[in-house]
Amino acid sequence: MSIAVAIDGPAASGKGTISKAVATHFGFAHLDTGLLYRAVGARVLDGMDAVEAATSLDFTDLDRDDLRTGPVAQAASKVAAIPEVRAALVDFQRAFARRAGGAVLDGRDIGTVICPDAEVKLYVTASDEIRAQRRYLELSSKGHDVTPESVLEDLRERDRRDSERATAPLKPADDAVLLDTTDLSIEDAIAKAAEAIRAHL
Ligand code: DC
C-alpha cells in the first residue's frame, strides 16, 4: 500500500509535531523536508555554493546538530528560494512519498508541488504570536540565546520570504484541509489530523 500524507504550513505551526505523531500512529515513514533545506543552508554557512550543496547532499548532513538554530533556519529559507536548489531535492522527496507502507512529508510545498496527488493534504497554521511563543520556548529550553521579540521577527521574515518566492511558495493546496492550531492542544491537533487521514484509509 502506498499512501502519501502532505502536511504543509508556516514555521512553528505545529506541523512537525503533528506529522511525527500521525506517522507513528499509522506506522508510516516520516520525512521532515525542512531538514533538507536546513542541511543545504548549513553547508552554505560553511562556505559552500548553494546549488553544489544541494546536488551533493548526503544523509549524514541531516544528522548535523546545528540544523535547528536560528541562523541555519534563515539560511534554509534563503537557499529554498533558489529554483536549482529545490529541483535537486525533488526526486528524493517524491520517491519517499511513494514508498510502500505509507509516508508523511511535512514542509511548505508538499501538497502543491512535490506530491499534488497525495491522498491526504493538511495545511497547518496558527497565529504569529502563538507560533513565536512555541518556538521561543523550544529554543530557550535548549539553551539558545533568544528573546520572544527576536523569534517573532525571525518567523515573520522567514514566512514572508517563503510565501513570496516565485518557485513553490508556501500556500495551501486547493484541496487541503485547513487546521488552525492557535487554540488547540497538541493532543487535539493530532486527533484532528489523524481523523482526516483515517477517512482515507
Ligand atoms: O520547516 P522548517 O522551518 O524546518 O524549514 C526551514 C526552511 O526551509 C523554511 O523556512 C523554508 C524551507 N522549506 C521549503 O522551502 N520547502 C519545504 N518543503 C520545507 C522547508
Side-chain angles (χ1 to χ4, degrees), residues 59-134:
F59 277 109
T60 54
D61 295 315
L62 304 182
D63 294 332
R64 289 175 60 140
D65 57 11
D66 61 349
L67 297 186
R68 294 285 170 204
T69 63
V72 170
Q74 286 292 351
S77 171
K78 287 178 189 158
V79 299
I82 304 171
E84 292 85 354
V85 166
R86 305 198 70 83
L89 303 175
V90 166
D91 288 350
F92 173 73
Q93 295 175 82
R94 288 199 176 138
F96 192 97
R98 285 300 161 205
R99 61 199 280 152
V104 180
L105 286 83
D106 74 87
R108 304 291 189 289
D109 64 336
I110 308 302
T112 50
V113 173
I114 298 297
C115 228
D117 58 349
E119 281 75 10
V120 186
K121 295 181 188 177
L122 296 175
Y123 190 84
V124 184
T125 57
S127 72
D128 292 4
E129 289 72 19
I130 284 287
R131 292 188 294 118
Q133 190 187 340
R134 290 176 188 158

Side-chain angles (χ1 to χ4, degrees), residues 2 6 23 25 30 60 64 68 89 95-96 104 121 137 153-155 157 161 194:
S2 141
H25 180 81
H30 170 230
T60 54
R64 289 175 60 140
R68 294 285 170 204
L89 303 175
F96 192 97
V104 180
K121 295 181 188 177
L137 290 175
E153 184 46 42
D154 226 53
L155 283 185
E157 188 185 339
R161 196 184 297 113

Side-chain angles (χ1 to χ4, degrees), residues 23-58:
T24 303
H25 180 81
F26 291 101
F28 298 161
H30 170 230
L31 179 65
D32 170 359
T33 64
L35 270 190
L36 303 174
Y37 294 92
R38 284 173 183 261
V40 175
R43 296 180 103 192
V44 168
L45 291 179
D46 289 343
M48 203 184 258
D49 168 72
V51 177
E52 192 192 332
T55 48
S56 64
L57 199 66
D58 200 274

